[in-house]
Amino acid sequence: MVAPVSGVSILTITQATTATFTDLFIDLAFLCFIRSGTKKVVCPVHGEMIGEEGDLLIFPPGSIVTLENRPVPNASYQADGLYFARDLVDAVFSDHPSRNVSPGIQIVRASYRPSEILDLIKETLERDDLPPALKKHRLLEPLIWLRHNGVQLPARDDDQPWGKVRRLIETDFAKPWRIADVAGHFAMSEATFRRWLAKSGLGFAKILLNTRLERGLTLLQTTGVPISRIALECGFQTPSHFSDSFRKRFGIKPKLIRSREE
């Protein structure tokens, strides 16, 4: 996910069927405001956590999480998701200690009225009359509020090889990426590149597939783009290849993200 010029991206997330998604990579700082249903998260630091309607879940940049979105009866799971660019996070949290240790996923409960943060962000992003510098300043206010309420959100260090490879793939999901070309991009031989990736325990083919599938999941949850088009945009040659790979990774058919099976 690449943040726009303002430094903040906002998405409306909808899911019709309960599903668990394992080992999702969250590159940028991510705020999830739950509007309907619940979200179960397995955090490496805090263990199992449940976010309910009105709660805010905060995911530090570089998080790898397992989560389950649970719709309520006769309604879809719904949430607003916000990604914050690194420079905004650094402006507020740069002096936090232990920057190489993740604070884990954190929750601000509904009783603290985190929805007011969301309203401020939406109002700021929608205003075209604000000078860019003033808009950026106003977008820092929610982060300052989070820090005031005990949230830790350190910047992520760019030292993970697979993270760098993912960000390259994200520049063009549909491109037929070849390991030799990617190795060349990082000024390495293919053998050196494989050894470099081996430090993180993931091979190139797995990184490529996971990056494409997670992009497909985001498009299913946040857009009305046809599944056949999502498959092609994410680099799969056929919709059936995308569907089979998606079901194998997430245990659910792509179409069930948008509608319940009768």
Side-chain angles (χ1 to χ4, degrees), residues 4 24 47 63 66 91 108 129 156 175 188 199 203 209 222 224 235 259:
L24 296 182
S63 296
T66 293
V108 176
D129 60 320
R156 182 182 58 77
K175 182 175 179 177
M188 300 179 190
K199 296 177 183 178
L209 179 62
T222 63
S259 62

Side-chain angles (χ1 to χ4, degrees), residues 50-233:
I50 304 292
E52 301 177 344
E53 183 176 338
D55 290 346
L56 164 62
L57 281 81
I58 303 103
F59 298 81
S63 296
I64 300 177
V65 301
T66 293
L67 58 84
E68 181 179 78
N69 294 330
R70 301 169 171 174
V72 295
N74 302 316
S76 295
Y77 166 87
Q78 292 186 329
D80 288 302
L82 277 75
Y83 289 94
F84 276 84
R86 295 179 183 88
D87 64 324
L88 293 178
V89 174
D90 278 345
V92 177
F93 293 92
S94 61
D95 63 336
H96 265 204
S98 303
R99 291 167 59 81
N100 292 325
V101 179
S102 173
I105 299 160
Q106 299 146 90
I107 293 183
V108 176
R109 295 297 182 184
S111 59
Y112 286 85
R113 297 186 294 182
S115 60
E116 295 180 0
I117 296 178
L118 179 61
D119 292 340
L120 173 62
I121 295 171
K122 286 182 175 180
E123 192 268 339
T124 301
L125 293 176
E126 290 169 359
R127 288 187 59 177
D128 297 326
D129 60 320
L130 293 177
L134 181 56
K135 180 174 286 192
K136 181 175 181 178
H137 179 78
R138 290 189 62 176
L139 291 172
L140 291 176
E141 292 182 20
L143 295 175
I144 295 170
W145 184 89
L146 289 174
R147 174 166 178 161
H148 175 74
N149 283 278
V151 171
Q152 299 180 46
L153 204 56
R156 182 182 58 77
D157 295 324
D158 291 332
D159 58 355
Q160 288 294 332
W162 52 266
K164 295 180 180 180
V165 173
R166 285 186 66 119
R167 283 188 288 281
L168 176 62
I169 295 169
E170 287 169 356
T171 63
D172 187 352
F173 290 94
K175 182 175 179 177
W177 294 100
R178 297 174 181 270
I179 190 170
D181 297 332
V182 176
H185 173 86
F186 291 102
M188 300 179 190
S189 68
E190 186 173 331
T192 300
F193 179 70
R194 290 182 186 276
R195 289 194 295 271
W196 183 59
L197 279 185
K199 296 177 183 178
S200 60
L202 292 174
F204 174 71
K206 191 70 171 180
I207 294 170
L208 177 61
L209 179 62
N210 284 349
T211 304
R212 286 172 164 169
L213 287 174
E214 289 171 32
R215 174 58 175 170
L217 173 61
T218 297
L219 292 174
L220 287 167
Q221 292 174 325
T222 63
T223 75
V225 175
I227 294 176
S228 58
R229 188 172 139 200
I230 289 176
L232 297 177
E233 288 185 3

